[in-house]
Amino acid sequence: MRGRVTKKIADKFLVDGQLCVARGGLKENGIFVGDIVEYNNEEKIIEKVCERKNLFIRPPLANLDRMIIVISPVPKPDFVLVDKIIAFCVKNEVKPILCVNKTDVLDEKLKEKIERVYSKILKICFVSAKNNDAEQLKKCLKGVCAFAGQSAVGKSSLINVLCKEEKELVGSLSRRVDRGKQTTRVCSIYELEKGVLVTDTAGFSKLDEGLLGIDERSLCNYFSEFLPYIAKCKFSSCSHIKEKDCEVKKAVSEGKISLERYESYKKIYESLKGRKNYEKKG
């Protein structure tokens, strides 16, 4: 039999609703939530892990198809994190979707900014978990979909709305520090409908430079709007930050690339470079 691992429970795995164990050496290689496996239906033993589309260690998840990047008016959106996750998706062949939650308190100015900066980069949907309105998001879901973003933007609440029941523990926003309390404890996959599976994974929301898996010199390749201009730069090793005759910088000055995305690029570039320098000294 062939099926998908939807949850890991200690040293056992839930496959198509059945609790299975791994055969011998499979434990050494690891079995991840999202894996397609071949298993013995009678003995409930996983015998083989099929070839993966992608694999992530933190969070432990395989074969991810789409990433739902959730932001909201409160807490204030961290667009640098959004741009990190988009670059991460491009690198790992995952389709990113930008989901703006809490439209019941979304002002027009922020909405216009989001659309101006991101409408040409990826699909944007506007929803309100509070009002049980997630229709735009539901239309964007296909395959295995993970939710990422800051705490308290409503990732778990949206999953609850999509699944029509309490699949995840929903936390409350900390009023004192205006930041959310992390409530997701395990990585599980839930079938929303045939062909659509969702998971809430904390690790993607803590995507630091180490997990990004990108060198600062290749970072520009994961900003899709940069691509038409990179090859036209005077220097092949152009960082698109300080060099003269940089076509990317020129495109920014002419409004062909958004200044906000370019500023994010510079911040991520410097963070990646700083991390590499720190590791060399260490």
PDB file of all heavy atoms in Angstrom, residues 106-123:
ATOM      1  N   LEU A 106      -8.425  46.050   8.795  1.00  0.00           N
ATOM      2  CA  LEU A 106      -7.406  46.458   7.820  1.00  0.00           C
ATOM      3  C   LEU A 106      -7.757  47.822   7.225  1.00  0.00           C
ATOM      4  O   LEU A 106      -8.827  48.001   6.646  1.00  0.00           O
ATOM      5  CB  LEU A 106      -7.326  45.414   6.701  1.00  0.00           C
ATOM      6  CG  LEU A 106      -6.368  45.705   5.540  1.00  0.00           C
ATOM      7  CD1 LEU A 106      -4.923  45.713   6.012  1.00  0.00           C
ATOM      8  CD2 LEU A 106      -6.562  44.678   4.420  1.00  0.00           C
ATOM      9  N   ASP A 107      -6.836  48.777   7.367  1.00  0.00           N
ATOM     10  CA  ASP A 107      -7.094  50.092   6.780  1.00  0.00           C
ATOM     11  C   ASP A 107      -6.662  50.120   5.319  1.00  0.00           C
ATOM     12  O   ASP A 107      -5.813  49.347   4.881  1.00  0.00           O
ATOM     13  CB  ASP A 107      -6.397  51.205   7.577  1.00  0.00           C
ATOM     14  CG  ASP A 107      -4.882  51.104   7.523  1.00  0.00           C
ATOM     15  OD1 ASP A 107      -4.301  51.453   6.472  1.00  0.00           O
ATOM     16  OD2 ASP A 107      -4.272  50.670   8.525  1.00  0.00           O
ATOM     17  N   GLU A 108      -7.245  51.039   4.564  1.00  0.00           N
ATOM     18  CA  GLU A 108      -7.034  51.106   3.123  1.00  0.00           C
ATOM     19  C   GLU A 108      -5.583  51.407   2.764  1.00  0.00           C
ATOM     20  O   GLU A 108      -5.066  50.907   1.763  1.00  0.00           O
ATOM     21  CB  GLU A 108      -7.945  52.169   2.517  1.00  0.00           C
ATOM     22  CG  GLU A 108      -8.097  52.080   1.012  1.00  0.00           C
ATOM     23  CD  GLU A 108      -8.730  50.769   0.559  1.00  0.00           C
ATOM     24  OE1 GLU A 108      -9.534  50.178   1.324  1.00  0.00           O
ATOM     25  OE2 GLU A 108      -8.391  50.330  -0.563  1.00  0.00           O
ATOM     26  N   LYS A 109      -4.900  52.189   3.594  1.00  0.00           N
ATOM     27  CA  LYS A 109      -3.517  52.559   3.307  1.00  0.00           C
ATOM     28  C   LYS A 109      -2.609  51.339   3.314  1.00  0.00           C
ATOM     29  O   LYS A 109      -1.765  51.167   2.418  1.00  0.00           O
ATOM     30  CB  LYS A 109      -3.022  53.586   4.334  1.00  0.00           C
ATOM     31  CG  LYS A 109      -1.636  54.124   4.048  1.00  0.00           C
ATOM     32  CD  LYS A 109      -1.240  55.198   5.065  1.00  0.00           C
ATOM     33  CE  LYS A 109       0.161  55.735   4.776  1.00  0.00           C
ATOM     34  NZ  LYS A 109       0.559  56.779   5.765  1.00  0.00           N
ATOM     35  N   LEU A 110      -2.763  50.480   4.317  1.00  0.00           N
ATOM     36  CA  LEU A 110      -1.942  49.271   4.389  1.00  0.00           C
ATOM     37  C   LEU A 110      -2.306  48.320   3.255  1.00  0.00           C
ATOM     38  O   LEU A 110      -1.419  47.698   2.652  1.00  0.00           O
ATOM     39  CB  LEU A 110      -2.128  48.580   5.742  1.00  0.00           C
ATOM     40  CG  LEU A 110      -1.362  47.271   5.950  1.00  0.00           C
ATOM     41  CD1 LEU A 110       0.139  47.480   5.756  1.00  0.00           C
ATOM     42  CD2 LEU A 110      -1.640  46.694   7.337  1.00  0.00           C
ATOM     43  N   LYS A 111      -3.576  48.202   2.951  1.00  0.00           N
ATOM     44  CA  LYS A 111      -4.003  47.325   1.860  1.00  0.00           C
ATOM     45  C   LYS A 111      -3.385  47.771   0.541  1.00  0.00           C
ATOM     46  O   LYS A 111      -2.887  46.943  -0.242  1.00  0.00           O
ATOM     47  CB  LYS A 111      -5.525  47.322   1.745  1.00  0.00           C
ATOM     48  CG  LYS A 111      -6.046  46.392   0.647  1.00  0.00           C
ATOM     49  CD  LYS A 111      -7.561  46.406   0.567  1.00  0.00           C
ATOM     50  CE  LYS A 111      -8.047  45.465  -0.543  1.00  0.00           C
ATOM     51  NZ  LYS A 111      -9.521  45.471  -0.675  1.00  0.00           N
ATOM     52  N   GLU A 112      -3.403  49.070   0.281  1.00  0.00           N
ATOM     53  CA  GLU A 112      -2.832  49.602  -0.956  1.00  0.00           C
ATOM     54  C   GLU A 112      -1.336  49.338  -1.033  1.00  0.00           C
ATOM     55  O   GLU A 112      -0.800  49.015  -2.100  1.00  0.00           O
ATOM     56  CB  GLU A 112      -3.110  51.101  -1.055  1.00  0.00           C
ATOM     57  CG  GLU A 112      -4.573  51.432  -1.337  1.00  0.00           C
ATOM     58  CD  GLU A 112      -4.838  52.925  -1.347  1.00  0.00           C
ATOM     59  OE1 GLU A 112      -3.885  53.702  -1.066  1.00  0.00           O
ATOM     60  OE2 GLU A 112      -5.982  53.329  -1.631  1.00  0.00           O
ATOM     61  N   LYS A 113      -0.634  49.456   0.110  1.00  0.00           N
ATOM     62  CA  LYS A 113       0.803  49.191   0.136  1.00  0.00           C
ATOM     63  C   LYS A 113       1.086  47.734  -0.191  1.00  0.00           C
ATOM     64  O   LYS A 113       1.981  47.427  -1.000  1.00  0.00           O
ATOM     65  CB  LYS A 113       1.384  49.536   1.508  1.00  0.00           C
ATOM     66  CG  LYS A 113       2.861  49.185   1.638  1.00  0.00           C
ATOM     67  CD  LYS A 113       3.398  49.442   3.037  1.00  0.00           C
ATOM     68  CE  LYS A 113       4.850  49.006   3.152  1.00  0.00           C
ATOM     69  NZ  LYS A 113       5.400  49.237   4.516  1.00  0.00           N
ATOM     70  N   ILE A 114       0.349  46.827   0.419  1.00  0.00           N
ATOM     71  CA  ILE A 114       0.545  45.395   0.193  1.00  0.00           C
ATOM     72  C   ILE A 114       0.330  45.056  -1.279  1.00  0.00           C
ATOM     73  O   ILE A 114       1.130  44.341  -1.897  1.00  0.00           O
ATOM     74  CB  ILE A 114      -0.403  44.568   1.086  1.00  0.00           C
ATOM     75  CG1 ILE A 114      -0.012  44.726   2.559  1.00  0.00           C
ATOM     76  CG2 ILE A 114      -0.377  43.086   0.684  1.00  0.00           C
ATOM     77  CD1 ILE A 114      -1.046  44.191   3.532  1.00  0.00           C
ATOM     78  N   GLU A 115      -0.722  45.588  -1.863  1.00  0.00           N
ATOM     79  CA  GLU A 115      -1.022  45.307  -3.263  1.00  0.00           C
ATOM     80  C   GLU A 115       0.032  45.919  -4.192  1.00  0.00           C
ATOM     81  O   GLU A 115       0.432  45.293  -5.181  1.00  0.00           O
ATOM     82  CB  GLU A 115      -2.409  45.840  -3.612  1.00  0.00           C
ATOM     83  CG  GLU A 115      -3.537  45.058  -2.943  1.00  0.00           C
ATOM     84  CD  GLU A 115      -4.909  45.597  -3.282  1.00  0.00           C
ATOM     85  OE1 GLU A 115      -5.047  46.835  -3.419  1.00  0.00           O
ATOM     86  OE2 GLU A 115      -5.847  44.775  -3.391  1.00  0.00           O
ATOM     87  N   ARG A 116       0.484  47.108  -3.861  1.00  0.00           N
ATOM     88  CA  ARG A 116       1.489  47.772  -4.701  1.00  0.00           C
ATOM     89  C   ARG A 116       2.814  47.011  -4.706  1.00  0.00           C
ATOM     90  O   ARG A 116       3.438  46.836  -5.758  1.00  0.00           O
ATOM     91  CB  ARG A 116       1.717  49.199  -4.205  1.00  0.00           C
ATOM     92  CG  ARG A 116       2.859  49.940  -4.915  1.00  0.00           C
ATOM     93  CD  ARG A 116       2.948  51.380  -4.460  1.00  0.00           C
ATOM     94  NE  ARG A 116       3.074  51.513  -3.026  1.00  0.00           N
ATOM     95  CZ  ARG A 116       4.205  51.347  -2.344  1.00  0.00           C
ATOM     96  NH1 ARG A 116       5.329  51.025  -2.988  1.00  0.00           N
ATOM     97  NH2 ARG A 116       4.241  51.495  -1.032  1.00  0.00           N
ATOM     98  N   VAL A 117       3.229  46.549  -3.534  1.00  0.00           N
ATOM     99  CA  VAL A 117       4.537  45.890  -3.409  1.00  0.00           C
ATOM    100  C   VAL A 117       4.502  44.448  -3.898  1.00  0.00           C
ATOM    101  O   VAL A 117       5.451  43.976  -4.533  1.00  0.00           O
ATOM    102  CB  VAL A 117       5.032  45.940  -1.944  1.00  0.00           C
ATOM    103  CG1 VAL A 117       6.323  45.150  -1.773  1.00  0.00           C
ATOM    104  CG2 VAL A 117       5.233  47.391  -1.500  1.00  0.00           C
ATOM    105  N   TYR A 118       3.391  43.729  -3.651  1.00  0.00           N
ATOM    106  CA  TYR A 118       3.409  42.279  -3.861  1.00  0.00           C
ATOM    107  C   TYR A 118       2.510  41.740  -4.974  1.00  0.00           C
ATOM    108  O   TYR A 118       2.639  40.569  -5.338  1.00  0.00           O
ATOM    109  CB  TYR A 118       3.040  41.571  -2.551  1.00  0.00           C
ATOM    110  CG  TYR A 118       4.099  41.715  -1.495  1.00  0.00           C
ATOM    111  CD1 TYR A 118       3.954  42.634  -0.454  1.00  0.00           C
ATOM    112  CD2 TYR A 118       5.266  40.955  -1.537  1.00  0.00           C
ATOM    113  CE1 TYR A 118       4.939  42.780   0.517  1.00  0.00           C
ATOM    114  CE2 TYR A 118       6.248  41.092  -0.592  1.00  0.00           C
ATOM    115  CZ  TYR A 118       6.087  42.006   0.448  1.00  0.00           C
ATOM    116  OH  TYR A 118       7.069  42.156   1.388  1.00  0.00           O
ATOM    117  N   SER A 119       1.632  42.555  -5.537  1.00  0.00           N
ATOM    118  CA  SER A 119       0.663  42.021  -6.501  1.00  0.00           C
ATOM    119  C   SER A 119       1.319  41.418  -7.745  1.00  0.00           C
ATOM    120  O   SER A 119       0.761  40.510  -8.369  1.00  0.00           O
ATOM    121  CB  SER A 119      -0.341  43.103  -6.905  1.00  0.00           C
ATOM    122  OG  SER A 119       0.319  44.189  -7.538  1.00  0.00           O
ATOM    123  N   LYS A 120       2.509  41.915  -8.125  1.00  0.00           N
ATOM    124  CA  LYS A 120       3.194  41.381  -9.296  1.00  0.00           C
ATOM    125  C   LYS A 120       4.155  40.244  -8.942  1.00  0.00           C
ATOM    126  O   LYS A 120       4.751  39.629  -9.832  1.00  0.00           O
ATOM    127  CB  LYS A 120       3.966  42.501 -10.001  1.00  0.00           C
ATOM    128  CG  LYS A 120       3.062  43.584 -10.594  1.00  0.00           C
ATOM    129  CD  LYS A 120       3.882  44.653 -11.288  1.00  0.00           C
ATOM    130  CE  LYS A 120       2.988  45.747 -11.862  1.00  0.00           C
ATOM    131  NZ  LYS A 120       3.782  46.811 -12.539  1.00  0.00           N
ATOM    132  N   ILE A 121       4.287  39.973  -7.635  1.00  0.00           N
ATOM    133  CA  ILE A 121       5.240  38.952  -7.168  1.00  0.00           C
ATOM    134  C   ILE A 121       4.554  37.617  -6.914  1.00  0.00           C
ATOM    135  O   ILE A 121       5.077  36.549  -7.246  1.00  0.00           O
ATOM    136  CB  ILE A 121       5.948  39.412  -5.874  1.00  0.00           C
ATOM    137  CG1 ILE A 121       6.550  40.801  -6.039  1.00  0.00           C
ATOM    138  CG2 ILE A 121       7.002  38.401  -5.438  1.00  0.00           C
ATOM    139  CD1 ILE A 121       7.605  40.907  -7.098  1.00  0.00           C
ATOM    140  N   LEU A 122       3.379  37.667  -6.322  1.00  0.00           N
ATOM    141  CA  LEU A 122       2.684  36.444  -5.935  1.00  0.00           C
ATOM    142  C   LEU A 122       1.200  36.713  -5.760  1.00  0.00           C
ATOM    143  O   LEU A 122       0.745  37.863  -5.764  1.00  0.00           O
ATOM    144  CB  LEU A 122       3.275  35.862  -4.641  1.00  0.00           C
ATOM    145  CG  LEU A 122       2.985  36.553  -3.301  1.00  0.00           C
ATOM    146  CD1 LEU A 122       3.528  35.711  -2.152  1.00  0.00           C
ATOM    147  CD2 LEU A 122       3.535  37.947  -3.199  1.00  0.00           C
ATOM    148  N   LYS A 123       0.439  35.661  -5.590  1.00  0.00           N
ATOM    149  CA  LYS A 123      -0.999  35.754  -5.379  1.00  0.00           C
ATOM    150  C   LYS A 123      -1.267  36.301  -3.978  1.00  0.00           C
ATOM    151  O   LYS A 123      -0.647  35.879  -3.004  1.00  0.00           O
ATOM    152  CB  LYS A 123      -1.633  34.367  -5.535  1.00  0.00           C
ATOM    153  CG  LYS A 123      -3.114  34.300  -5.212  1.00  0.00           C
ATOM    154  CD  LYS A 123      -3.958  34.980  -6.264  1.00  0.00           C
ATOM    155  CE  LYS A 123      -5.445  34.798  -5.968  1.00  0.00           C
ATOM    156  NZ  LYS A 123      -6.294  35.497  -6.961  1.00  0.00           N
TER     157      LYS A 123
END
